[in-house]
């Protein structure tokens, strides 16, 4: 009785809970998911890095400074030419790299890194959506499974009343009612456990959408999932061309290759133009002497203690790792796409079969129940038909949401919505 009251309490609580639609849950979860917020931040970081690399071709590096020094004994101030114990210097300097392979390589690397970050946002958006859908479907599935468990409990109680009446009238032995009583107890336990699973699922959905407590999911249609608009080969081609994880892998390889080129370019001469203006005096804003300079500097690194060689080696290893990761990701494409595609197709077909199986199980239970009332069958056959009907009802629920979740997985790989 206590277990039955717990199940009833869970059912009644649904009427007082806040609820969300699937689209609303996905939208709210995207704003709250730390991984998605981090992905957006990576795009901002990559955009500024790319912007800085582009500005390096337009603007020089500029620095302003002011120095004020107090000496222990007088010295000749370079601005006034007189002996003073203090000196103030202001300066402005600018430098521009006229020729640098590293600067060109940095531009290519930042472009690729920005593309990878943008693809990462798409990938994380779909990943967050898939996780949210999984939590949403978990609420709906557990809600329907609770209904199936409750129906099983109600049938078991009806059967127990019939069994006891048969025992009282002497047409059945005591063990018949005991078998049915055992089924009622099992049904009551299953119903209570399913109620707990539903309560936990609602709490998880609430956490996903930013609520402090449980949240109910608004029901979805129960129609059979439609056929996919793409063939398996079309899906594979689309994944390789537009799938976010594949775009990330290719962009990472391009960025690593560009950084390797930049590290190798450090062996080549660099040509830099430098300009500087200095003013000397003993006042805060010196005006006594103004000195300007313009320098054209060419540097050729000969030996830097092995730092260039280490940088080239590290960049080459990073490039090789990125290339291996890209090749592995592309090799895994057929397996991943096929798994998601066929899982959806199979679950879609199984849903139709599960509905037929449930109808068959319901008819079998009806016949067995009538035969048991007439004394033409045993209580074991009746209980078995009851278990089969419950299992058939559970299969309908599970295959329905398995198809929806498989679709979300395929869309995550493709980076595109297919049916919504």
């Amino acid at each position: 009785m206590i277990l039955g009251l717990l199940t009833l309490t869970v059912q009644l609580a649904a009427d007082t809970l806040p609820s969300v639609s699937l689209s609303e849950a996905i939208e709210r979860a995207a704003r709250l998911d730390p991984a998605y917020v981090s992905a957006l931040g990576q795009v901002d970081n990559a955009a500024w890095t790319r912007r800085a690399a582009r500005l390096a071709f337009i603007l020089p590096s500029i620095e302003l400074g002011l120095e004020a020094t107090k000496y222990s004994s007088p010295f000749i101030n370079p601005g006034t030419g007189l002996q003073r114990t203090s000196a103030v210097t202001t300066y402005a300097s600018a430098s521009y790299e006229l020729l640098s392979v590293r600067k060109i390589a940095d531009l290519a690397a930042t472009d690729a890194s920005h593309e990878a970050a943008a693809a990462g946002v798409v990938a994380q958006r779909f990943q967050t959506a898939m996780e949210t859908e999984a939590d949403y479907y978990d609420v709906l599935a557990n809600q329907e499974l609770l209904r199936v468990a409750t129906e099983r409990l109600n049938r078991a109680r009806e059967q127990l009343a019939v069994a006891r009446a048969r025992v009282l009238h002497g047409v059945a032995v005591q063990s018949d009612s005991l078998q049915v009583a055992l089924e009622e107890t099992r049904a009551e336990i299953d119903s209570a456990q399913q109620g707990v699973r539903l309560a936990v699922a609602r709490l998880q959905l609430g956490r996903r959408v930013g609520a402090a407590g449980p949240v109910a999911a608004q029901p979805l249609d129960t129609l059979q999932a439609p056929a996919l608009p793409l063939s398996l080969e079309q899906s594979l081609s689309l994944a390789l061309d537009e799938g976010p994880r594949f775009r990330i892998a290719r962009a990472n390889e391009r960025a690593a290759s560009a950084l390797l080129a930049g590290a190798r370019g450090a062996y080549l001469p660099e040509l830099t133009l430098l300009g500087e203006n200095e003013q000397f005096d003993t006042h805060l804003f010196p005006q006594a002497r103004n000195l300007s300079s313009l320098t054209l500097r060419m540097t050729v690194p000969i030996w830097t203690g092995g730092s260039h060689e280490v940088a080239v080696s590290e960049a080459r290893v990073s490039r090789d790792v990125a290339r291996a990761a890209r090749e592995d990701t592309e090799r895994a494409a057929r397996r991943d796409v096929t798994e998601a595609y066929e899982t959806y197709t199979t679950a879609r077909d199984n849903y139709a079969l599960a509905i037929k199986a449930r109808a068959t199980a319901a008819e079998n239970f009806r016949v067995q129940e009538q035969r048991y009332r007439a004394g033409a069958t045993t209580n074991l056959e009746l209980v078995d038909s009851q278990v089969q009907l419950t299992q058939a009802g559970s299969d309908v629920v599970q295959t329905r949401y398995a198809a929806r979740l498989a679709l979300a997985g395929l869309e995550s790989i493709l980076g595109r919505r297919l049916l919504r």
Side-chain angles (χ1 to χ4, degrees):
M1 181 62 68
I2 295 177
L3 297 176
L5 290 175
L6 176 61
T7 303
L8 180 60
T9 301
V10 173
Q11 290 175 308
L12 293 177
D15 297 333
T16 62
L17 292 179
S19 64
V20 293
S21 65
L22 178 58
S23 59
E24 182 184 0
I26 292 175
E27 186 63 30
R28 290 172 61 176
R31 297 195 303 266
L32 299 171
D33 184 15
Y36 184 67
V37 174
S38 175
L40 289 176
Q42 293 301 320
V43 172
D44 290 340
N45 293 340
W48 265 110
T49 304
R50 183 178 64 172
R51 190 176 296 115
R54 291 180 174 180
L55 289 175
F57 285 87
I58 304 173
L59 300 176
S61 297
I62 301 174
E63 183 179 3
L64 300 177
L66 183 147
E67 296 178 358
T69 307
K70 183 70 175 178
Y71 296 94
S72 60
S73 60
F75 83 109
I76 298 178
N77 187 288
T80 62
L82 303 175
Q83 287 191 345
R84 294 288 188 272
T85 59
S86 62
V88 177
T89 305
T90 62
Y91 64 90
S93 62
S95 64
Y96 182 80
E97 294 180 338
L98 299 175
L99 178 63
S100 174
V101 175
R102 175 189 51 77
K103 188 164 68 171
I104 299 174
D106 286 347
L107 180 61
T110 55
D111 284 341
S113 296
H114 184 268
E115 181 180 349
V121 169
V122 177
Q124 189 56 53
R125 175 81 181 198
F126 275 94
Q127 180 65 29
T128 300
M130 183 175 66
E131 293 173 356
T132 304
E133 288 187 59
D135 291 338
Y136 194 92
Y137 300 150
D138 195 34
V139 171
L140 293 179
N142 280 293
Q143 188 171 297
E144 294 187 39
L145 290 174
L146 177 59
R147 175 184 52 79
V148 172
T150 303
E151 292 174 354
R152 174 190 178 185
L153 177 59
N154 293 335
R155 287 192 296 266
R157 287 172 175 169
E158 293 175 0
Q159 294 161 14
L160 181 59
V162 173
R164 285 174 175 171
R166 286 168 53 83
V167 172
L168 290 176
H169 288 82
V171 294
V173 295
Q174 184 67 27
S175 60
D176 282 3
S177 63
L178 293 177
Q179 289 288 344
V180 180
L182 178 60
E183 167 61 15
E184 183 202 27
T185 302
R186 290 172 175 171
E188 191 169 3
I189 293 173
D190 181 60
S191 181
Q193 291 176 338
Q194 192 59 54
V196 173
R197 285 191 284 267
L198 175 58
V200 173
R202 285 172 173 165
L203 286 170
Q204 172 60 22
L205 180 60
R207 168 181 173 268
R208 181 72 65 181
V209 300
V215 171
Q218 296 177 9
L220 302 172
D221 66 78
T222 58
L223 300 175
Q224 183 180 9
L228 292 171
L230 301 174
S231 66
L232 177 57
E233 291 301 322
Q234 289 173 328
S235 299
L236 177 61
S237 177
L238 181 62
L240 291 172
D241 292 340
E242 302 182 16
R245 71 173 67 169
F246 306 102
R247 290 169 52 198
I248 291 172
R250 290 193 294 267
N252 286 339
E253 183 184 7
R254 289 199 304 273
S257 298
L259 292 176
L260 175 59
R264 288 171 173 169
Y267 289 103
L268 301 176
E270 289 188 0
L271 191 62
T272 306
L273 182 64
L274 302 98
E276 188 170 13
N277 177 267
E278 291 182 300
Q279 292 182 329
F280 306 90
D281 207 333
T282 59
H283 304 293
L284 183 60
F285 297 101
Q287 298 177 349
R289 186 176 182 184
N290 189 308
L291 183 64
S292 298
S293 65
L294 183 65
T295 305
L296 182 64
R297 176 185 298 167
M298 185 183 72
T299 58
V300 181
I302 303 301
W303 175 248
T304 58
S307 60
H308 286 168
E309 287 71 20
V310 171
V312 169
S313 177
E314 291 176 346
R316 182 173 56 251
V317 171
S318 297
R319 191 276 315 272
D320 293 344
V321 171
R323 177 176 295 171
R326 189 263 305 166
E327 292 174 349
D328 181 69
T329 301
E330 291 178 348
R331 285 194 302 269
R334 180 169 293 277
R335 181 190 66 82
D336 295 341
V337 172
T338 300
E339 180 182 18
Y341 191 98
E342 296 299 342
T343 298
Y344 174 82
T345 302
T346 302
R348 174 179 176 271
D349 295 339
N350 287 347
Y351 178 61
L353 296 175
I355 292 177
K356 294 180 180 179
R358 183 179 61 181
T360 302
E363 178 62 18
N364 179 57
F365 173 74
R366 186 188 66 82
V367 172
Q368 291 295 343
E369 186 178 34
Q370 290 181 349
R371 294 185 64 197
Y372 181 74
R373 291 176 182 270
T377 188
T378 65
N379 64 329
L380 293 177
E381 292 175 316
L382 177 63
V383 171
D384 184 60
S385 66
Q386 153 78 332
V387 172
Q388 291 179 5
L389 177 57
T390 301
Q391 184 60 51
S394 299
D395 291 343
V396 170
V397 176
Q398 291 169 355
T399 54
R400 179 192 306 147
Y401 293 109
R404 289 181 177 272
L405 195 56
L407 176 61
L410 180 60
E411 291 174 338
S412 177
I413 296 173
L414 302 182
R416 175 186 295 187
R417 292 294 186 186
L418 296 177
L419 299 175
R420 291 166 286 184

